[in-house]
Amino acid sequence: MGIGQALIIAASGFLVVFIMLVLLWVIIGCINKAVSGLTGKKTEPVKAPSPAAVIAAAGAEEQVFDDRTYGGEIALYGDMDDKTVACIMAIVSDETKIPLSQLIFKSIRELQ
Amino acid sequence: MNIIEILIKIFQESGFAGLIEEPRSLVMILLACFLLYLGIRKKYEPLLMIPIAFGILLANLPRTGITDGLIHYLSLGVEYGIYPSLVFLGTGAMTDFGPLIANPSSLLMGAGAQFGIFTAFLMALALGFEPNVAAAIGVIGGADGPTAILTASKLAMDYLPAIAIAAYSYMALIPMIQPPLMRLMTTKKERETVMKQARSVTKTERIIFPIAVTIFVVLLIPDTAPLVGMLMFGNLLKETGLTDRLSDTAQNGLTNTVIIFLGISVGAKAAAQTFLTLRTIEIIILGLIAFSFSTIGGLMLGKIMYRVTGGKVNPLIGSAGVSAVPMAARVSQMEGQKANPSNYLLMHAMGPNVAGVIGSAVAAGFMLKMFGG
């Protein structure tokens, strides 16, 4: 195979991948518009994932990325930093086998 | 026949005598032990590295005849491209495409991160590889083991073990390969960029997505059907919420079974005569180049998007476009947090990460179309 032909194939391949994924972008946009139109609702930005969700996701060996975000407020009693709170939430979720998205934490109290 | 003659006969028919006849087998046995060490001790992709290494070990123990029996039949799944497709079924069932649907522009970074495939393809041609082999080598840059194995099984069967070992080794080394390139390609200001949360994704969108992608991608490049079709089928099983048992089987039992068969079959293809050659070393080096250029391609697209969006996209998520789910996304997260401790890029990086899976499947489909005969 000549260098010219090889370059053409490489450039064509890269272009095909690009075009394909750009078209997928368009399709996703169309799906979103169609779903929004049918339901009459516009999708809203989600709340930021908690550090617990990130730690849980980042630490797993074979992770399934799902709705592992936590929304809402927690009353904290004691001297706790965000990382400690996130760890507690992640451990409770792991031990109870309940996803963070389905757990509601009302408060965390530090025991002396 | 006396005792001495019996002992001599046993030795002459033993594997030890076989090692004397074919000393290269000993090298392969040592290589298998080294790969087992990497998998067990260093935890380099152990789920596949250990079966592959053990396959190499079994296939290179002389006079066992195992490659004509058990391994021969297990290998049919590789030759016909069955195992990689079934692994993709499990991958689809484990993957959440939500971040990609929420932020579809990340598809561009998934596309950019296929740059290494075509760069390595050109380099392999320059080194004198046949075009079909060069295409299979290039796909290592997709950082997707099953895709690399499927392409190699169809385009370059003799080089399958080297390609598979290169692909999985570099996937395991992503935390070492990518960070220096990420720091080299981006400024501190760019790495510090905090991204806004993406919109929520409805269940309807999640269900329509795999169906639409399958119809569209497979219609355009039919050669992608075994990979994209299975990936999306697995994802549909997960997202409908009605087929939990099937999804669970795809994610666990089926995938684990197939990984055992796939790993041991691929490893067993590494016979000393074909594996211990200069070509293998060249493939390993080309694989590293492919990986590096794919990372650079993703980062370049990330930087372009950073500029186009006025600094709303952190270019570090571009490197996650090399597939390798979710390791590459974790690396983006870690590098982002190093630059700015309040940065949580993981979910954002999952967009390019899963886009990369589709991108590498499309690139592999393109190579199969061009060189598959």
Side-chain angles (χ1 to χ4, degrees), chain B residues 144-372:
Chain B
D144 198 319
T147 305
I149 289 173
L150 181 76
T151 316
S153 70
K154 299 206 177 215
L155 298 180
M157 196 52 158
D158 289 344
Y159 297 96
L160 173 63
I163 289 171
I165 289 167
Y168 282 106
S169 302
Y170 293 134
M171 281 166 66
L173 291 173
I174 275 182
M176 280 177 254
I177 296 171
Q178 286 198 322
L181 293 170
M182 293 162 91
R183 289 191 284 269
L184 185 73
M185 295 286 298
T186 54
T187 64
K188 188 159 191 309
K189 191 184 168 200
E190 287 171 341
R191 293 196 293 276
E192 285 173 347
T193 307
V194 176
M195 293 179 68
K196 275 188 187 171
Q197 282 306 300
R199 67 176 177 85
S200 61
V201 176
T202 63
K203 187 177 171 68
T204 313
E205 285 176 279
R206 288 172 184 273
I207 292 173
I208 294 173
F209 177 77
I211 300 169
V213 170
T214 304
I215 293 171
F216 181 74
V217 176
V218 175
L219 278 179
L220 204 59
I221 305 181
D223 293 85
T224 60
L227 292 177
V228 173
M230 285 292 110
L231 181 76
M232 293 301 151
F233 176 46
N235 189 247
L236 184 64
L237 292 179
K238 169 180 177 278
E239 297 298 354
T240 58
L242 301 170
T243 51
D244 286 347
R245 280 164 50 200
L246 302 186
S247 174
D248 180 57
T249 302
Q251 288 181 39
N252 301 299
L254 180 64
T255 299
N256 292 339
T257 306
V258 171
I259 281 177
I260 291 171
F261 291 169
L262 176 71
I264 210 152
S265 309
V266 167
K269 289 279 173 199
Q273 297 84 347
T274 53
F275 193 83
L276 292 178
T277 62
L278 183 64
R279 285 307 204 196
T280 300
I281 296 168
E282 288 173 345
I283 288 170
I284 302 285
I285 294 169
L286 283 168
L288 178 62
I289 293 170
F291 244 74
S292 303
F293 274 94
S294 286
T295 301
I296 291 169
L299 288 168
M300 288 299 291
L301 257 292
K303 283 176 79 78
I304 291 170
M305 292 191 69
Y306 173 83
R307 294 279 159 84
V308 170
T309 59
K312 289 180 183 165
V313 172
N314 190 318
L316 287 178
I317 66 170
S319 63
V322 298
S323 315
V325 182
M327 180 111 56
R330 282 187 214 156
V331 173
S332 298
Q333 158 73 15
M334 285 187 283
E335 285 301 307
Q337 276 213 320
K338 271 185 198 166
N340 180 355
S342 64
N343 224 345
Y344 295 102
L345 295 177
L346 188 68
M347 292 303 168
H348 298 290
M350 281 308 294
N353 210 189
V354 294
V357 178
I358 300 173
S360 54
V362 171
F366 174 83
M367 292 302 199
L368 289 171
K369 169 125 323 264
M370 295 305 299
F371 303 107

Side-chain angles (χ1 to χ4, degrees), chain B residues 70-147:
Chain B
L70 173 69
I71 299 290
H72 168 72
Y73 291 104
L74 287 181
S75 298
L76 293 177
V78 176
E79 286 174 33
Y80 291 109
I82 295 168
Y83 298 151
S85 304
L86 290 179
V87 171
F88 254 52
L89 175 71
T91 305
M94 285 185 258
T95 303
D96 177 15
F97 284 99
L100 176 65
I101 301 170
N103 184 15
S105 63
S106 55
L107 280 158
L108 292 180
M109 287 177 271
Q114 310 312 315
F115 182 53
I117 291 181
F118 301 101
T119 311
F121 164 69
L122 291 173
M123 288 184 175
L125 283 177
L127 285 173
F129 282 98
E130 291 295 313
N132 54 319
V133 180
I137 293 169
V139 175
I140 298 173
D144 198 319
T147 305

Side-chain angles (χ1 to χ4, degrees), chain A residues 78-89:
Chain A
D79 184 22
M80 282 172 270
D81 58 12
D82 282 353
K83 199 171 177 181
T84 308
V85 172
C87 284
I88 291 168
M89 292 164 68

Side-chain angles (χ1 to χ4, degrees), chain A residues 5-79:
Chain A
Q5 198 184 353
L7 281 170
I8 288 170
I9 288 175
S12 306
F14 199 39
L15 195 64
V16 164
V17 173
F18 248 97
I19 291 171
M20 183 66 81
L21 295 188
V22 167
L23 289 173
L24 276 183
W25 182 358
V26 174
I27 287 173
I28 292 171
C30 292
I31 293 171
N32 179 29
K33 285 217 162 50
V35 171
S36 301
L38 285 172
T39 58
K41 278 192 232 168
K42 201 170 175 194
T43 45
E44 299 294 330
V46 294
K47 287 179 180 174
S50 69
V54 174
I55 288 168
E61 276 303 310
E62 284 297 324
Q63 188 57 56
V64 180
F65 288 90
D66 210 328
D67 300 319
R68 298 185 181 198
T69 57
Y70 182 80
E73 291 184 355
I74 309 168
L76 301 176
Y77 300 101
D79 184 22

